Amino acid sequence: MNTKQENKALQSDRSIQSENTFRGALVSIALPVTLQSLLQSSFSMIDQIMIGQLGSDSIAGIGLGGKFASIYSVVLGAVAVAAGIMIAQYVGQKNEKELAKSYHVNLLVCTLIAVLFMTVCNLCPGPIMSLYTKDNGTGALAVDYLRIYSYSFIPMALTTMMAVLLRCVDAAVVPLMASFLSVILNTGLNYLLIFGKLGCPAMGVRGAAVSSVIAQVGSCILTLCIFLWQLHRKNIRLAFDLRLSGVGRKQYIGILAPILVCEFGWSLGENVYAAIYGNMGTDPCAAMTMTGPVQGLIIGALSGIAQAAGIMIGKSLGKEAYEKAYGDSKKLMKCGLAGSVILSLLLILLGRYYVAIYNVAPQIQAVSYQILIAFAIISPVKVQNMILGGGIIRSGGMTKYVMWIDLIGTWIFGVPLGLLAAFVWKLEIPYVYFVLSLEEVIRLLISAVIFRRKKWMRSLE
């Protein structure tokens, strides 16, 4: 074999090895995260299917109560994203000191946010829910659900931060185990407390909230036990230290602030959408709420790719392997596109069977299926935005790009289109949902331009 042939063979072997490394990293991170997301999404589905047996008022009540609680989840997720960006890069740099600082600072921020939201939900749940619906019965159910569910916020914050660190050190299966326990607890307690089985009181919507709180506490305890064991096993010392240097504070704020603005702005927009649906009437709101768990399952099924993108690309950027980061990013987007198209086709075929589970009027079932069709059409675009904006572009710490993308999409296009479609054009709710969802196309176009310019690729100091 001549030198030229030897070089080609060597390049081929390196390409195969690189591809195998990519696939191995993707599967080891994405699969546990995907399964965990599916389990977490099943929280909502289990609640709503069981509550769905009590009628459309209860469905709408738990949907609206959960919608405000989702603002907390989004803000918490924003801090987790910032933590993931920093921890992934410090893992790539093998900088244990900065890793520990990043973990503890973000843990403190998460806990303070949890306390703030829990306090607000307990002091003024009535005025909050009055913004979502004028139906007194539905509003009262939403208030009950929100007040009780808010007690899950602190254990949720602790679990989230532990999960971020575990994923970055290749122990993503631990959060999966904790989520599995949560779903088992939630399902069993829902059966007992919603319907009053085995001598338990029939608590309805309140029972669903209590079940979720207990399940989150159980998940937190299990995660903590395994978290401490994994730290010992991997010889990671998280020395408690909240003292960031001047440069460190500036860098942290530069990463976190745009994410908080972005996620809070996006979540507030989602809540405006919920208020639009709620003010269109109880039946349209119930139909929209019924589709939420399926939307969560499909997005959750592909969220692992976005999480893997943030960690894999972040590690490559930490090592200053920029070409590898760019090439792997394109592979991740292709995986997400293929998966989202397949799931959208399955949703179109099977959506009728899902809506038939609920004990609601046939017309509400029909409207719910139409909303699912609209979601199936826009879903591949949503998934690309999740991977590109939520994982890849953020991995270099340039979070301000994603902030502007989301604010433009939500507030310049999504909210105005939703208000026009619902209250000026007087469209039915499936069309309102589809029209306002077109803002996802705007986001993708802007994100694609930023991605190709490569300015997001950088290593943290």
Side-chain angles (χ1 to χ4, degrees), residues 148-159:
I148 297 170
Y149 185 77
S150 68
Y151 289 103
S152 70
F153 291 171
I154 291 177
M156 194 185 301
L158 302 177
T159 302

Side-chain angles (χ1 to χ4, degrees), residues 174-250:
V174 176
L176 170 62
M177 295 168 61
S179 291
F180 182 73
L181 171 67
S182 292
V183 170
I184 296 297
L185 274 175
N186 191 55
T187 304
L189 290 171
N190 270 340
Y191 177 73
L192 296 176
L193 298 179
I194 292 175
F195 304 112
K197 302 295 183 179
L198 300 180
C200 294
M203 299 172 67
V205 168
R206 291 183 180 181
V210 171
S211 300
S212 295
V213 172
I214 295 173
Q216 286 289 350
V217 171
S219 173
C220 182
I221 292 171
L222 177 61
T223 302
L224 177 61
C225 293
I226 305 179
F227 176 78
L228 295 174
W229 172 65
Q230 285 288 335
L231 292 183
H232 176 73
R233 178 172 170 267
K234 294 179 179 290
N235 196 30
I236 298 173
R237 294 182 298 275
L238 290 179
F240 184 78
D241 190 355
L242 299 173
R243 297 171 299 173
L244 295 175
S245 65
V247 174
R249 284 194 297 271
K250 183 177 179 181

Side-chain angles (χ1 to χ4, degrees), residues 87-391:
I87 291 171
Q89 289 224 11
Y90 292 136
V91 168
Q93 297 171 10
K94 298 182 180 179
N95 189 338
E96 189 172 278
K97 182 179 178 182
E98 292 301 322
L99 186 157
K101 285 184 181 180
S102 299
Y103 175 77
H104 287 118
V105 167
N106 283 288
L107 180 62
L108 176 62
V109 172
C110 283
T111 304
L112 292 175
I113 291 171
V115 172
L116 173 63
F117 270 86
M118 186 175 72
T119 302
V120 170
C121 290
N122 276 274
L123 291 179
C124 49
I128 292 172
M129 286 298 103
S130 68
L131 300 174
Y132 290 81
T133 180
K134 302 304 179 186
D135 187 314
N136 292 332
T138 300
L141 291 170
V143 165
D144 286 343
Y145 181 83
L146 180 61
R147 183 183 287 115
I148 297 170
Y149 185 77
S150 68
Y151 289 103
S152 70
F153 291 171
I154 291 177
M156 194 185 301
L158 302 177
T159 302
T160 297
M161 274 308 305
M162 289 187 286
V164 168
L165 179 58
L166 288 167
R167 288 176 189 139
C168 290
V169 297
D170 303 322
V173 73
V174 176
L176 170 62
M177 295 168 61
S179 291
F180 182 73
L181 171 67
S182 292
V183 170
I184 296 297
L185 274 175
N186 191 55
T187 304
L189 290 171
N190 270 340
Y191 177 73
L192 296 176
L193 298 179
I194 292 175
F195 304 112
K197 302 295 183 179
L198 300 180
C200 294
M203 299 172 67
V205 168
R206 291 183 180 181
V210 171
S211 300
S212 295
V213 172
I214 295 173
Q216 286 289 350
V217 171
S219 173
C220 182
I221 292 171
L222 177 61
T223 302
L224 177 61
C225 293
I226 305 179
F227 176 78
L228 295 174
W229 172 65
Q230 285 288 335
L231 292 183
H232 176 73
R233 178 172 170 267
K234 294 179 179 290
N235 196 30
I236 298 173
R237 294 182 298 275
L238 290 179
F240 184 78
D241 190 355
L242 299 173
R243 297 171 299 173
L244 295 175
S245 65
V247 174
R249 284 194 297 271
K250 183 177 179 181
Q251 186 180 77
Y252 178 60
I253 293 171
I255 292 173
L256 178 60
I259 296 177
L260 281 174
V261 172
C262 165
E263 297 297 336
F264 185 78
W266 173 83
S267 180
L268 193 60
E270 289 292 307
N271 277 264
V272 171
Y273 299 158
I276 291 172
Y277 306 142
N279 283 282
M280 291 178 72
T282 298
D283 286 353
C285 182
M288 191 70 214
T289 301
M290 285 165 57
T291 68
V294 173
Q295 294 189 34
L297 282 173
I298 290 181
I299 295 299
L302 297 165
S303 64
I305 299 177
Q307 292 271 358
I311 294 171
M312 292 168 63
I313 306 305
K315 287 182 178 180
S316 293
L317 294 177
K319 299 174 184 176
E320 299 185 0
Y322 298 122
E323 288 305 313
K324 183 179 188 302
Y326 191 73
D328 286 350
S329 296
K330 291 192 286 187
K331 293 177 185 177
L332 288 161
M333 286 188 287
K334 289 178 182 178
C335 290
L337 179 61
S340 60
V341 169
I342 291 170
L343 290 177
S344 287
L345 292 174
L346 288 174
L347 179 58
I348 292 171
L349 292 173
L350 303 176
R352 291 185 186 276
Y353 300 102
Y354 167 74
V355 299
I357 295 172
Y358 290 87
N359 182 28
V360 294
Q363 62 267 26
I364 298 178
Q365 293 180 356
V367 171
S368 294
Y369 179 64
Q370 291 170 357
I371 296 170
L372 290 178
I373 296 296
F375 171 75
I377 295 170
I378 206 70
S379 176
V381 182
K382 281 180 175 284
V383 170
Q384 287 299 295
N385 283 329
M386 178 176 66
I387 296 170
L388 193 52

